[in-house]
Amino acid sequence: MRRTAVLAALAAGLALVAGNAAGLPLPGAPGCPVFPPGSPWNRPVDRLPVAKGSAAIVRSIGLDGGLHADFGSGLYDGAPIGIPITAVPGTQPKVRVRFEYGDESDPGPYPIPPGVRIEGGGDRHAVVVDRDRCRLYELFSLRRTALGWQAGAGAIWDLRSNRLRPAGWTSADAAGLPILPGLARYDEVARGGIDHALRFTVERSRRAYVY
């Protein structure tokens, strides 16, 4: 996972597409917010001052570069391209996962159902929401083997809390951030507006945290 490529996800993505955010719930977990309304993911930023050095960062990323929406464009190894979301009840049995990057992964166990949806492509992300406990489980490079489930890394989040991972840690992506709150979801588009930050990656950013 390339840390420099993914660190721009929240830094550059905190421009809201629409309106006043309220941490809207997921269709599969209507009792859960996608983090609190005061979360940086859900907070309107249109009236905040522009960060110092913003213009230089944007130029480095590329003023004329287009955005490639990496979802809805077919299949990869038989799975749809894009990061799917799997909602499970609190009674879903939890399983142990063997991690490649275990020192920065939450050990779990994880409520992975037999039919968990996995992203098509090399990253094979899986996003699982416990709709009864409002817990978010995210995994990178998830695979089922003869010895059980294995993944590159995993992170567990409380959807009702703004608590972050330890500084410098990765998560299910290199930025150390949750994936779910930055996704463009079908239900949001159908509703007519996306009112939270969007995550994206760039080829060139800078080796630093950018709020």
Side-chain angles (χ1 to χ4, degrees):
M1 293 184 290
R2 293 182 304 164
R3 181 182 299 274
T4 54
V6 188
L7 275 176
L10 183 57
L14 276 175
L16 301 186
V17 177
N20 193 19
L24 293 171
L26 295 165
C32 300
V34 183
F35 294 104
S39 164
W41 289 103
N42 300 320
R43 189 181 306 148
V45 298
D46 55 328
R47 297 184 181 179
L48 294 179
V50 177
K52 182 180 179 180
S54 175
I57 294 171
V58 173
R59 284 196 302 271
S60 177
I61 292 171
L63 283 170
D64 300 322
L67 288 176
H68 171 69
D70 196 18
F71 56 83
S73 56
L75 301 177
Y76 187 100
D77 286 344
I81 295 173
I83 300 178
I85 302 166
T86 301
V88 298
T91 55
Q92 174 63 46
K94 295 182 180 179
V95 298
R96 291 289 177 184
V97 180
R98 293 183 299 115
F99 291 112
E100 181 180 355
Y101 304 102
D103 58 333
E104 294 184 11
S105 292
D106 293 324
Y110 288 69
I112 303 175
V116 64
R117 302 173 67 195
I118 299 175
E119 172 193 19
D123 285 348
R124 296 183 61 83
H125 286 108
V127 174
V128 179
V129 177
D130 179 334
R131 59 173 172 259
D132 295 324
R133 296 183 175 89
C134 295
R135 288 285 193 274
L136 169 63
Y137 299 82
E138 297 186 340
L139 296 133
F140 161 69
S141 191
L142 180 64
R143 298 180 185 278
R144 189 167 194 172
T145 71
L147 299 176
W149 290 102
Q150 70 175 36
I156 302 173
W157 310 84
D158 181 351
L159 288 172
R160 296 192 177 106
S161 171
N162 285 330
R163 184 176 180 181
L164 299 175
R165 291 170 67 71
W169 276 33
T170 59
S171 54
D173 75 6
L177 300 170
I179 294 172
L180 173 65
L183 297 179
R185 307 194 320 253
Y186 177 86
D187 61 292
E188 296 172 319
V189 177
R191 190 184 62 221
I194 297 173
D195 55 5
H196 59 78
L198 291 170
R199 70 187 307 275
F200 59 91
T201 61
V202 299
E203 292 187 5
R204 180 178 179 181
S205 178
R206 69 180 185 181
R207 300 184 65 85
Y209 296 113
V210 184
Y211 180 77

